[in-house]
Amino acid sequence: MGHEQGRLLPWVTADGKPCFLATDGQGYLSRVADDMERVQLGMAVELLGHADDMLGDYGATAAQLRYLGRRMAESLRDVHRIAVSRGARMADPVPD
């Protein structure tokens, strides 16, 4: 696991680089990161519902669909970052 690197946070720097936090998982910034992950995951669920509606609407314009695609890509990046972070924080498997 990446404990030596720290917790991968659910946001990036202004130039798109990952942010890490050296933590035991109990501090203020860990709670902020947990809250941000909850918001990002909730937004992904809402976006999926919106995508279902829009993709079923044959009157949706190309511009609307491109906008939807950009938001979906952003959301997928967020969800992937959360999955990587949580996977890295899982206990190392015990060897057989």
Side-chain angles (χ1 to χ4, degrees), residues 12-85:
V12 295
T13 65
D15 58 348
K17 294 183 180 171
C19 294
F20 294 91
L21 176 65
T23 181
D24 62 1
Q26 304 300 315
Y28 172 76
L29 284 178
S30 288
R31 290 189 301 277
V32 170
D34 291 343
D35 290 344
M36 176 68 109
E37 287 179 353
R38 273 190 286 282
V39 168
Q40 289 173 326
L41 292 171
M43 290 171 57
V45 170
E46 289 182 25
L47 182 57
L48 283 171
H50 185 64
D52 284 339
D53 292 344
M54 185 174 285
L55 293 172
D57 177 6
Y58 292 99
T61 67
Q64 289 172 318
L65 293 172
R66 277 193 304 276
Y67 182 81
L68 174 65
R70 285 192 297 270
R71 300 298 75 80
M72 290 180 74
E74 289 172 359
S75 183
L76 185 56
R77 273 190 290 276
D78 291 342
V79 170
H80 179 261
R81 187 180 309 107
I82 292 166
V84 168
S85 178

